[in-house]
């Protein structure tokens, strides 16, 4: 039987990110993918490609999770875009009811420091209700700063320190992404599991972020854990998958490109 992984995430209509990217990544790694959508996200081509966001009703989210876990034996899930305190509470309750062995969280934070209000409430809910249930977290540079409490992360050494602080604060395995933000020729991510610190490096491919890279990384970790890989093995494969997906990016009419997982050969 093929191993099954569940993504609980938003739909991103262009196919570059969200549950669409997760399912493609699962498939490319030989894992059967199930999905429970939390929201509908679409770019607005008439408004500088900003995001249009529509949350789904809590009961609809619960129905999808119930159906997926009733049909399949699932012990590994990826959590992506949630977006509202109500959705976070709903998903947290569903996770607490099911003893998933692996809960991989792509910690999508929406408050950039100035908005407060709803954005801050959403991020606070994610940290209070979802992070304690996660076993593996994949923060980007901004999220690493927010979760570690550090004022700046500008070097690989500081990224490693931030990963340790996140682990200590939330008791979770961390794959902190340096990406194109840190100086140097390599895109460096840091894995920390409480015992070992491992730098995962690959040459930078341009200096711009690519849509769906974070989703793909977390989804690849999820797929590999579902197949029985160790966390470090899963992180190494995920790094290779996202590097290939950026190298083979899909161009469109947007000012940014999207990842394409289909060329990866493990």
């Amino acid at each position: 039987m093929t191993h099954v992984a569940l993504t609980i995430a938003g739909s991103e209509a262009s196919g570059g990110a969200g549950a669409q990217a997760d399912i493609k990544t699962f498939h490319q790694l030989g894992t059967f993918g199930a999905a429970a959508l939390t929201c509908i996200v679409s770019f607005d081509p008439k408004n500088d490609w900003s995001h249009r966001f529509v949350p789904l009703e809590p009961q609809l989210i619960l129905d999808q999770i119930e159906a997926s876990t009733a049909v399949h034996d699932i012990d590994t899930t990826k959590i992506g875009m949630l977006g509202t305190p109500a959705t976070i509470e709903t998903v947290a309750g569903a996770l607490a009811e099911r003893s998933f062995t692996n809960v991989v969280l792509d910690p999508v934070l929406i408050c950039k420091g100035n908005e407060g209000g709803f954005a801050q409430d959403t991020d606070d809910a994610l940290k209070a209700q979802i992070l304690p249930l996660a076993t593996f977290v994949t923060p980007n540079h901004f999220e690493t700063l927010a979760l570690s409490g550090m004022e700046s992360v500008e070097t690989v050494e500081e990224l490693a320190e931030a990963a340790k602080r996140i682990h200590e604060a939330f008791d979770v395995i961390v794959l902190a992404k340096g990406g194109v933000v840190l100086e140097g020729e390599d895109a460096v991510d840091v894995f920390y599991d409480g015992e070992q610190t491992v730098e995962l490096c690959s040459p930078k491919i341009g200096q711009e972020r690519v849509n769906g890279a974070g989703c793909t990384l977390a989804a690849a970790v999820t797929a590999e854990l579902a197949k029985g890989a160790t966390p470090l093995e899963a992180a190494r494969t995920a790094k290779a998958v996202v590097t290939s997906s950026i190298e083979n990016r899909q161009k469109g009419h947007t000012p940014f490109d999207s990842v394409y997982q289909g060329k990866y050969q493990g």
Side-chain angles (χ1 to χ4, degrees), residues 195-217:
E195 296 181 357
Q196 56 186 334
T197 302
V198 180
E199 296 176 15
L200 306 178
C201 305
S202 63
K204 287 181 179 177
I205 308 165
Q207 294 294 325
E208 300 298 326
R209 292 186 175 92
V210 178
N211 183 39
C215 301
T216 299
L217 186 80

Side-chain angles (χ1 to χ4, degrees), residues 6 35 67 90 113 134 143 158 166 168 178 194 199 206 228 232 240 254-255:
L6 169 66
T90 298
E143 294 154 355
E158 290 174 342
I166 294 170
E168 291 169 357
E199 296 176 15
L232 181 55
T254 52

Side-chain angles (χ1 to χ4, degrees), residues 140-161:
N140 63 22
H141 184 264
F142 165 72
E143 294 154 355
T144 294
L145 285 171
L147 297 179
S148 68
M150 294 175 63
E151 293 187 2
S152 67
V153 173
E154 298 181 358
T155 66
V156 175
E157 292 76 19
E158 290 174 342
L159 187 64
E161 174 61 25

